[in-house]
Amino acid sequence: GLEFRNMDTLFGAVMTTGSTVISNDPDADPRAGGRPEGHPPLNAFLGVPFFHGGEMVGMMGIANRAGGYDVAVVEELAPFLHTCASIIHGERVNAGRIAAEADLQRTAAELRAIHAQIADGIVTMNLNGVIVTANPAVERMFGAAAFEVKGLSVEHFISRPDRARWDALLREFVSGAESVVTFEVEALRGDKVTTFPLEVSLSHLQLNTENQVIAVLRDVTERKKVERLKNEFISTVSHELRTPLTSIKGSLGLLQGGTVGVLPEQAQQLVDIAHGNSERLGLLINDLLDIEKIESGGLRFKITSVPLIGLLQDAISANQGYAQRVNVHLVIADDLPDVAMLADRERVMQVLNNLLSNAVKFSAENGQVSVSARVVGVHVRVEVADQGCGIPEDFQSHVFEKFSQADASDTRSVGGTGLGLSISKVIVDRMQGEIGFHSRPGEGTTFHFDLPLAQSKQD
């Protein structure tokens, strides 16, 4: 517990130089630097450092030997100094071990606390699905304490109809190369009667030489409930809104076309506005239905050989009316390649309609939207370019997200659901293609999508 702060002494000379100090006349030795008041007489002094592994771990100072000190005395003390060095090193190692154990215990306690508070069930199991460890969430989920589930198979908590599927999925994961696998099964509550949807994520765990599996178990009952409510809402939109909307849109179309006679100018303007908004509402409903199909896996494709030129001409024709109403010119390239692509024609038309309507929507009056195509390797690339305002750089990473618009304010100058590009990306991805864009603010935007050439399927 002693502290030495004055290094300008014989004692300090040993510590600062790491060398033996022999002084048989301390009063005349310039290294002595004086002694504090009350210090005992000092007739001779020997200070010897001792080392362990090249590091000075301590020193020994002795004084007032009759006849003083010499190298021979230092040599006689060598075994003693070596023992001191070993003792100090051992004490340091022991103190370090105690500190490390305390840190380990503290970390383990923190991990146990985190483990206990996690909402998901976490179990480790052997390669046969037998539980080795389980966290408290398992008790809340299955009504069984952790010590009660140890030694049981996870299959014990799976409903009977799904047990064979669980066993097959586990064996496939254990024998495969996948690092993480996620799937859903029907599980049993503690009463062994009530079932609930359980999402399972499996990952590999290696402890020393033993291979195990970590299973993260998530009760997705609430998520399924939300999905069911969403599907019910979509169903309501489909059946309760679509039918009257079709009738309203048809009636407005007849009025707009003059079937019942020429309308006064002000009435014609109101009918035009109402008809345009009914079309917009119809597009919104269609987009919502498509999103529901995508998320539920109900989006189906009929892949055939689709001639490129006819497809693009039809797309131009379908969007020509909208473009003329806002004074935007649609042009198609003269040098289109006479090829076909492997695609679902109806879905490709949906993508083209989204890209063309967006390009027209964001073009200035008397602007131009051009459609071109070329062969790139074993793909056909279709490009839709506008001369509009371009996409802000800070928004470009969000272009294909659902309900995203560069101007999401209530006062934005153009309408839209923010779903078209998200749907287009899913459609192109499902047809083994890619979609992207190039844009600079103020210089317009070019969207493109690549789909396989028809002959590439034969190759």
Side-chain angles (χ1 to χ4, degrees):
L2 296 176
E3 294 184 4
F4 297 90
R5 297 185 177 87
N6 182 11
M7 295 294 104
D8 294 327
T9 62
L10 294 174
F11 209 80
V14 179
M15 291 189 283
T16 56
T17 64
S19 302
T20 299
V21 171
I22 297 176
S23 179
N24 291 321
D25 188 4
D27 290 333
D29 195 317
R31 296 173 295 179
R35 292 186 294 279
E37 183 177 351
H39 194 283
L42 191 61
N43 303 320
F45 174 80
L46 171 63
V48 185
F50 44 90
F51 298 83
H52 189 280
E55 178 189 5
M56 186 173 71
V57 296
M59 68 157 289
M60 180 194 68
I62 55 178
N64 298 343
R65 178 177 183 266
Y69 301 97
D70 54 24
V71 175
V73 175
V74 176
E75 292 176 350
E76 288 180 16
L77 292 171
F80 172 71
L81 297 176
H82 178 73
T83 300
C84 289
S86 298
I87 291 172
I88 291 177
H89 174 71
E91 180 60 25
R92 285 185 175 183
V93 170
N94 187 55
R97 179 186 60 79
I98 292 173
E101 287 178 351
D103 286 342
L104 186 61
Q105 290 175 358
R106 183 168 56 254
T107 301
E110 292 173 354
L111 288 175
R112 283 194 297 271
I114 294 171
H115 202 232
Q117 295 302 317
I118 292 176
D120 293 337
I122 301 176
V123 300
T124 59
M125 55 189 181
N126 64 21
L127 301 184
N128 294 318
V130 176
I131 296 173
V132 179
T133 64
N135 72 334
V138 173
E139 178 178 358
R140 298 190 292 270
M141 191 176 296
F142 299 114
F147 68 86
E148 294 175 341
V149 304
K150 291 179 182 178
L152 293 177
S153 171
V154 174
E155 183 180 288
H156 181 79
F157 301 98
I158 307 286
S159 67
R160 192 171 297 278
D162 266 6
R163 287 181 182 176
R165 180 167 171 265
W166 157 262
D167 187 62
L169 289 169
L170 176 62
R171 292 184 183 281
E172 182 181 349
F173 172 73
V174 169
S175 60
E178 298 250 3
S179 57
V180 178
V181 169
T182 301
F183 53 87
E184 192 175 300
V185 293
E186 189 177 72
L188 292 168
R189 295 290 186 197
D191 58 10
K192 302 302 180 185
V193 175
T194 309
T195 62
F196 67 98
L198 181 70
E199 184 181 85
V200 182
S201 293
L202 302 180
S203 55
H204 293 283
L205 173 67
Q206 184 165 0
L207 295 175
N208 298 322
T209 58
E210 184 180 0
N211 292 321
Q212 292 187 355
V213 176
I214 294 180
V216 178
L217 312 175
R218 175 169 296 174
D219 184 344
V220 292
T221 301
E222 289 302 315
R223 188 173 76 191
K224 291 292 183 180
K225 186 184 298 183
V226 171
E227 288 177 356
R228 186 173 64 254
L229 291 173
K230 182 198 69 175
N231 291 337
E232 290 173 357
F233 168 75
I234 294 296
S235 178
T236 301
V237 169
S238 175
H239 295 94
E240 303 300 329
L241 294 183
R242 229 177 177 185
T243 301
L245 181 63
T246 301
S247 177
I248 292 169
K249 183 179 173 183
S251 300
L252 290 171
L254 292 174
L255 289 172
Q256 189 181 43
T259 303
V260 296
V262 178
L263 298 174
E265 183 179 351
Q266 288 185 333
Q268 184 69 47
Q269 290 176 355
L270 292 174
V271 168
D272 290 343
I273 292 172
H275 187 263
N277 283 328
S278 68
E279 287 185 334
R280 184 175 171 184
L281 184 56
L283 292 174
L284 171 59
I285 292 173
N286 289 337
D287 283 347
L288 287 172
L289 292 173
D290 281 339
I291 285 293
E292 191 276 331
K293 288 178 183 177
I294 288 169
E295 293 183 347
S296 65
L299 196 64
R300 298 289 181 258
F301 293 87
K302 183 179 179 181
I303 305 300
T304 61
S305 178
V306 180
L308 174 68
I309 295 176
L311 174 74
L312 297 186
Q313 289 173 340
D314 289 349
I316 291 290
S317 299
N319 289 272
Q320 194 68 257
Y322 173 47
Q324 288 174 350
R325 287 200 302 271
V326 294
N327 294 322
V328 173
H329 306 289
L330 293 182
V331 298
I332 187 169
D334 296 328
D335 57 346
L336 294 175
D338 188 11
V339 295
M341 63 179 70
L342 287 173
D344 182 318
R345 193 180 196 282
E346 181 181 344
R347 295 300 180 187
V348 179
M349 278 293 292
Q350 186 176 354
V351 172
L352 282 168
N353 287 335
N354 279 329
L355 298 184
L356 284 168
S357 62
N358 273 355
V360 170
K361 186 192 318 180
F362 289 99
S363 293
E365 190 172 0
N366 294 318
Q368 178 177 290
V369 173
S370 60
V371 179
S372 60
R374 53 195 168 93
V375 175
V376 180
V378 295
H379 291 82
V380 179
R381 169 164 293 191
V382 177
E383 296 181 330
V384 176
D386 65 54
Q387 300 170 334
C389 56
I391 301 172
E393 291 184 359
D394 59 351
F395 180 74
Q396 291 186 10
S397 60
H398 305 287
V399 163
F400 294 109
E401 295 177 1
K402 288 185 292 187
F403 300 105
S404 63
Q405 294 195 359
D407 179 8
S409 67
D410 293 336
T411 59
R412 61 177 182 261
S413 58
V414 293
T417 64
L419 293 172
L421 290 175
S422 174
I423 293 171
S424 296
K425 185 177 189 317
V426 173
I427 289 173
V428 173
D429 288 346
R430 296 280 178 88
M431 292 190 295
Q432 308 305 311
E434 292 184 1
I435 189 170
F437 67 93
H438 172 73
S439 180
R440 288 186 179 180
E443 298 182 12
T445 302
T446 299
F447 275 89
H448 70 267
F449 61 87
D450 299 342
L451 289 173
L453 277 167
Q455 63 264 31
S456 66
K457 186 174 183 180
Q458 299 172 353
D459 295 342

